[in-house]
Amino acid sequence: MRKRSAGPVGAVRRAGPGDGGRERGVVPAPAHGDWLTLGKDGRLSLYAPTDGGLLRWTETAVGGPAWSGPHFVPVQGLTDLTVVQGADTYVHFLGRRERERADGGTGVDVVHAIQYQTGLAFTEWRSLGNPHRDPAQGRALGRPVGAVAADGTVHVLVPDAHGGLALRREAPNGKWRAWEDLSGTGIDTPPATVSLAGGRVEVCAATASGVLLWRQAAPGGDFEGPRGLALRPVPGTVVALETGPERATFFWADAGTGGVGAWREGDWPVALGGAPTGEPCARLRTVVDGYDSVVLACRDRDGSAVLGVGGTENEAAGFWWYALGESCRGVPALARDGHGRVVMALIGGDGTPKVARQEAGSGLTLTRWRSLED
């Protein structure tokens, strides 16, 4: 694995009275991606965007239940924040940033920062630029998403102004390659990415007419595709999870049935039920009662959080949904804590982060919700 330099660090401080609404840790909506992460030391961290930057909460001990925070990380101009974690446990932050240009117009670029250790400072926010040189086209750039390959190589993907997909990734020497055009058409929402244990990365993007899929033929290689698939996801709802050796399953909100759908190479699509909004599901692979299982979490049409559980690559045998009786904003997050228990996080209807943890015993039952502001 390539060695990284910690580099200059950005400020991380306790949010205080001078931070407006940040002293209470209230956020308008969650970040995108995996915004609940498990560090190498076994502690969970939760990240959420706020005015002028982002907020971070961290477990004070492995398995909780207490959390420290919120701690405020300043970064001006972010319109979107995506969190992605690699197998090395480093947490990467990708943002779409808007700033005033010298000519008075608005400039847009993609920025990136890293947190190497739980609860410690970030690196500086580095600009990755914009695939478009024309400022007007650059302002049409979409929200970036990321994937960290098994060797630690960071991949940044973003819908461009032409309805295609742009890629920027690290080179073997740690420097960033130039922007690459992966082509495609009709893409106006961020794609889904999956980093497979064998080192390859796959990317899936939904359009109004179907799905486009890109795959690396070998770790670190070029992306093949796009290949068109006759699936009907709601654009912006596709997520991916490695469910077998070098094999990904894709989940989405289905435009035809209104429920959640699942598909992987070599199988037919399967309807999983549920009633999601036009947002993606959080996803996690874990063991429940001794069975390899997939857990999904999303917000249903009445704004409440729901949890779904089924056998890994055995969706046709049944997928069970449970209403959790808690309103939430945006997409929940799922992770395992330092003791291997499933933890679900959400941003409550009042803008306060909350978590619930898997209880001991059979099945997947969650504890009562704990506000991180308690």
Side-chain angles (χ1 to χ4, degrees):
M1 182 180 295
R2 182 172 61 255
K3 292 184 177 180
R4 297 174 180 268
S5 169
V9 295
V12 179
R13 58 182 173 82
R14 173 75 185 185
D19 295 319
R22 289 189 293 267
E23 71 272 19
R24 294 183 291 110
V26 174
V27 296
H32 305 285
D34 300 321
W35 51 275
L36 180 67
T37 63
L38 180 65
K40 187 171 292 185
D41 65 353
R43 290 186 295 154
L44 291 169
S45 295
L46 184 153
Y47 310 91
T50 191
D51 291 342
L54 63 98
L55 298 169
R56 181 187 70 198
W57 289 260
T58 305
E59 285 184 319
T60 58
V62 175
W67 296 69
S68 65
H71 293 87
F72 176 56
V73 181
V75 52
Q76 294 294 326
L78 283 188
T79 64
D80 296 277
L81 175 69
T82 298
V83 184
V84 60
Q85 187 176 30
D88 53 14
T89 74
Y90 298 162
V91 184
H92 298 262
F93 303 87
L94 300 170
R96 180 187 182 277
R97 180 173 65 178
E98 293 185 355
R99 293 186 294 178
E100 185 177 356
R101 296 163 49 94
D103 61 6
T106 300
V108 172
D109 64 347
V110 175
V111 291
H112 171 239
I114 310 171
Q115 179 186 273
Y116 291 105
Q117 292 181 278
T118 306
L120 297 186
F122 290 30
T123 64
E124 64 181 346
W125 290 83
R126 176 175 180 174
S127 176
L128 301 182
N130 189 310
H132 300 292
R133 294 187 177 183
D134 178 75
Q137 292 182 349
R139 287 192 289 273
L141 196 69
R143 168 170 60 85
V145 298
V148 183
D151 67 353
T153 300
V154 182
H155 299 65
V156 180
L157 298 114
V158 59
D160 64 26
H162 308 302
L165 198 61
L167 165 71
R168 194 164 190 195
R169 52 178 163 166
E170 291 180 301
N173 62 5
K175 295 183 179 181
W176 287 87
R177 301 183 183 183
W179 284 98
E180 303 172 47
D181 181 7
L182 296 188
S183 70
T185 183
I187 302 169
D188 59 6
T189 55
T193 65
V194 59
S195 300
L196 303 174
R200 296 188 305 107
V201 172
E202 296 188 2
V203 181
C204 182
T207 70
S209 58
V211 164
L212 300 176
L213 182 65
W214 293 259
R215 287 177 167 165
Q216 285 180 311
D222 291 335
F223 283 82
E224 299 177 343
R227 170 190 169 198
L229 301 171
L231 303 173
R232 296 189 61 195
V234 175
T237 67
V238 182
V239 296
L241 180 68
E242 185 169 15
T243 54
E246 289 297 289
R247 187 168 59 251
T249 298
F250 297 92
F251 302 92
W252 64 86
D254 194 84
T257 67
V260 175
W263 172 85
R264 67 188 147 268
E265 187 73 27
D267 284 343
W268 293 100
V270 178
L272 305 185
T277 60
E279 298 167 326
C281 291
R283 73 282 185 229
L284 181 70
R285 185 178 175 187
T286 191
V287 175
V288 178
D289 292 342
Y291 293 96
D292 188 348
S293 303
V294 167
V295 181
L296 301 178
C298 63
R299 183 173 62 155
D300 67 14
R301 292 170 195 157
D302 70 0
S304 298
V306 295
L307 194 68
V309 184
T312 299
E313 297 196 347
N314 192 26
E315 300 89 356
F319 208 87
W320 292 268
W321 294 93
Y322 304 92
L324 301 179
E326 189 73 24
S327 64
C328 68
R329 301 179 180 181
V331 183
L334 291 168
R336 284 185 298 271
D337 69 10
H339 298 309
R341 296 172 296 186
V342 174
V343 179
M344 181 173 170
L346 55 78
I347 305 300
D350 61 354
T352 301
K354 300 178 182 181
V355 298
R357 211 173 295 256
Q358 183 178 7
E359 290 186 325
S362 61
L364 181 55
T365 303
L366 300 181
T367 62
R368 296 180 62 182
W369 292 96
R370 177 188 178 96
S371 169
L372 269 58
E373 295 308 301
D374 290 342

